Each structure stands twice: as C-alpha cells, then as structure tokens.
Amino acid sequence: MTGNIVLRMRSIGRVLGLNRLLGRLINSDYYEEKFGKEMLGRAQSGDVVWDVGANVGLYTEEFLNRVGDTGKVYAFEPAPGSVRALINRFEKHANVSILSYALGDSNGEVEMLFDEKDPTSVINKIVTTGVGEKGDMIRIRTADSVVDSEEAPLPNVIKIDVEGHELSVIKGMRSILSSNSLKCIAIEVHFKLLSDRGEEFAPKEIESILLSHDFSIKWTDPSHIVAFRK
C-alpha cells in the first residue's frame, strides 16, 4: 500500500467523519500481525535492534528470538511500571539492554502522565504544555545523542511505537537514518494523536524524511509503516 493512497484515505475519512471507525478496524490483531511479520522478517541473527516504546517487551522478546545470542536488543521505555516489567522479564538475558528514557527531537526532561491504575498502560503519554495536566518528569534524548555517547550502537532495525510522538523521534535520528547500518525502520503512526497535538501533516513529513534518506516505504495497513533501505 503506497503512502499517497494511505494519506488520501485518511483525508477522506476525516472529511466524512470515518477515521474513528477506520482506527478501530486497523488496530485489530490481523493488522498488527501483518506489521509484525513484515518488521520481524527484517531482523537477522547478529543484528542490533532498537525497540523504541517497548512497553512490557512483547516485540523485544520477538526481536531477541530473531537476533540470537550474537545480536543485541535495546528496549527504550520511560514509564517506570513498564521498565520494572522489562527488568523482570529480561533480567537473565545479557543481550537485552533497557534504557529508561524517551526518545525525541531534543535532550532534556519532559512531563509524562501515567495511568495510576495500570502503570504499564499503553496510554501513558507525554503531557502537552498548557493542557492543565500534571505529570512526572522523565528524561528525553535524541537517538543520535544516544549513539554519540555510546549508550547504544548504531541499529540495524528500529521499531517505533510512541503514541503520537513518532515524528519527534524521527527528527532526532537524522545521523542514524543516514547510516547504511540501518536497514529497516518500522513505525506505528498514530494519526489521531498526532492531529490532536497539532501535527496533522506529520505522517507525510515522516514519509518525506524517510524517502530523503533512501528508504523504500511500505504501508502494511493505514497505520503502520515498514521502511527498508533501497
């Protein structure tokens, strides 16, 4: 599925008020399975994988099985509850590293709002300035600075699921995107959350950035991109 078709579908859906229904359909297990199969198939034995927005490590474990003992998986997750779950799950795996901060387009701190009833909730979110919500302070880094500081090596495969902050993450990894070491980047694009944050055109910008760095783009469904080196 091409980007133009996906973005046109989304535009028409917005005009007709159908995007909420479309969102429910594309978030089904079927579409997640298609995305997962396409993405995981790009990871090979010995690869370095970054799982950005790892939550409790479902894909971290899948990647671990793919890269084997000679590979390494770096799980990026800022939510304390999810970090504890990741530590418990992977404490015996020397080739999984858990980095307890968010990735974005700058280095510093931001507020993040956590679900008090479920500390591993996927709806934990970075607080938007001026919305009247009070969150906890978390660290945020650019992906490029993580490599520059040698906290993690250049990845071969990246998965991004960051609940509406995917453009910020992409903007913080320009050097990584330019590296031939990176062969695949897979992104869940949260159209509604991006739009709510005033980034309605972010999906198109994400596409443009990836294309400018010589990636081919495949939409496995209207919310998931798998981009791979040409």
Side-chain angles (χ1 to χ4, degrees):
M1 188 180 297
T2 68
N4 286 336
I5 292 174
V6 169
L7 296 173
R8 192 172 300 135
M9 285 172 55
R10 287 286 189 169
S11 179
I12 293 171
R14 183 170 60 253
V15 172
L16 298 178
L18 298 176
N19 275 346
R20 182 172 294 180
L21 174 61
L22 180 62
R24 286 199 295 268
L25 291 174
I26 61 181
N27 285 326
S28 68
D29 291 341
Y30 170 70
Y31 285 111
E32 188 74 24
E33 183 179 343
K34 286 179 62 180
F35 171 66
K37 183 177 180 180
E38 184 76 32
M39 171 180 64
L40 293 168
R42 303 285 173 174
Q44 299 176 341
S45 178
D47 277 350
V48 173
V49 177
W50 286 18
D51 186 356
V52 182
N55 194 245
V56 296
L58 296 179
Y59 276 126
T60 304
E61 186 165 345
E62 294 279 2
F63 281 125
L64 182 60
N65 292 334
R66 291 277 179 166
V67 304
D69 294 337
T70 59
K72 190 77 180 275
V73 181
Y74 292 82
F76 293 82
E77 177 54 55
S82 295
V83 170
R84 288 192 293 271
L86 286 167
I87 292 172
N88 290 336
R89 187 170 190 166
F90 298 108
E91 60 183 349
K92 296 181 180 179
H93 295 274
N95 54 342
V96 174
S97 289
I98 300 162
L99 302 177
S100 56
Y101 47 79
L103 294 184
D105 58 4
S106 62
N107 294 322
E109 291 187 329
V110 293
E111 283 185 89
M112 190 165 187
L113 191 68
F114 299 108
D115 186 334
E116 294 181 359
K117 295 180 180 179
D118 181 5
T120 64
S121 172
V122 295
I123 63 170
N124 293 329
K125 62 179 181 179
I126 293 176
V127 175
T128 303
T129 302
V131 298
E133 297 173 299
K134 182 63 177 177
D136 298 321
M137 299 305 295
I138 63 164
R139 290 177 65 208
I140 187 166
R141 301 282 306 280
T142 68
D144 286 339
S145 72
V146 172
V147 173
D148 290 342
S149 63
E150 299 184 351
E151 292 176 59
L154 282 167
N156 304 116
V157 177
I158 302 174
K159 183 225 83 179
I160 299 173
D161 183 1
V162 289
E163 304 297 320
H165 292 270
E166 37 273 24
L167 178 57
S168 295
V169 175
I170 292 294
K171 286 182 173 179
M173 59 171 57
R174 302 280 186 157
S175 294
I176 293 174
L177 292 174
S178 298
S179 170
N180 287 328
S181 296
L182 181 61
K183 59 186 179 182
C184 175
I185 180 166
I187 311 165
E188 180 164 357
V189 182
H190 296 266
F191 279 78
K192 184 179 186 306
L193 293 175
L194 286 164
S195 181
D196 289 347
R197 298 181 63 242
E199 297 185 13
E200 180 180 332
F201 299 104
K204 184 63 177 177
E205 188 171 353
I206 290 170
E207 268 204 339
S208 296
I209 292 172
L210 294 174
L211 289 171
S212 71
H213 286 84
D214 295 323
F215 283 89
S216 295
I217 294 175
K218 178 178 181 179
W219 288 82
T220 59
D221 63 74
S223 272
H224 294 88
I225 292 174
V226 177
F228 43 92
R229 188 72 66 186
K230 292 179 181 179

